Amino acid sequence: MRRIILTVLAAAALQAQAAPKDKEANINIHYKESAADKALREFKEADLPLPAFPDARSGNWFDMYVNESYGKNARILLDSIQPASDGTVRYILNERSKSGHDNLTAEAMFCSGTSFDYGDRKRSSYKVYGFGDTVNRRWIAPRNPVWKNTDTTLNRDKTAHGILFNAFCVDGTPKSAAALRDRIIDRAGKNGKRLSGRKNSF
């Protein structure tokens, strides 16, 4: 009887030693990546020309509302908002200073379609492709353009890009330019919707 008890205890000890190894591996062996998930992970950035340089003082600009303490006047050119072939949204942003200086940027925002975060999956992020030279009316390419995450910012509602994320990414990204413009008008203005329950937002 004693030998049986010792055998049972030894088997239990071996199981206890093996269990942490499985957990430490942090791998879900039951998950099978779909074709859509694979496409998201294998994001391929489109090489598109910069848009025509806009007139910062006239045109179809929309005033975005960030918060009361925001020190700039964030504006987006509605006519510039376009869905791109790589799944991003392209647009022109103007974060005008309190003194009235226009800070134009030509940008793209990528909205990840999943809440999973692992490996090399691309996160929701934005990238500046050009800075506006309002004197010579031209775009100046940044020296080291990089994608900056939008979905890990704790104070997202305190930035213009957080407001754009709310408009373009939360609850999925519209496929047409008209629908994207409607999202901006509906969510990015003074009385715009601030959605906390995020779906397809990472």
Side-chain angles (χ1 to χ4, degrees), residues 80-92:
S80 72
I81 302 173
Q82 296 290 336
S85 58
D86 56 9
T88 64
V89 180
R90 304 295 173 110
Y91 56 90
I92 296 175

Side-chain angles (χ1 to χ4, degrees), residues 155-166:
N155 298 319
R156 186 182 298 121
D157 288 342
K158 296 182 179 180
T159 67
H161 291 99
I163 302 305
L164 290 173
F165 174 88
N166 178 68

Side-chain angles (χ1 to χ4, degrees), residues 53-57 94 100-105 131-140:
F53 197 85
D55 185 341
R57 299 292 166 167
N94 183 5
H101 180 72
D102 293 304
N103 297 292
L104 295 167
T105 48
F131 294 100
D133 175 2
T134 55
V135 175
N136 299 298
R137 295 187 53 79
R138 60 178 182 137
W139 295 112
I140 299 175

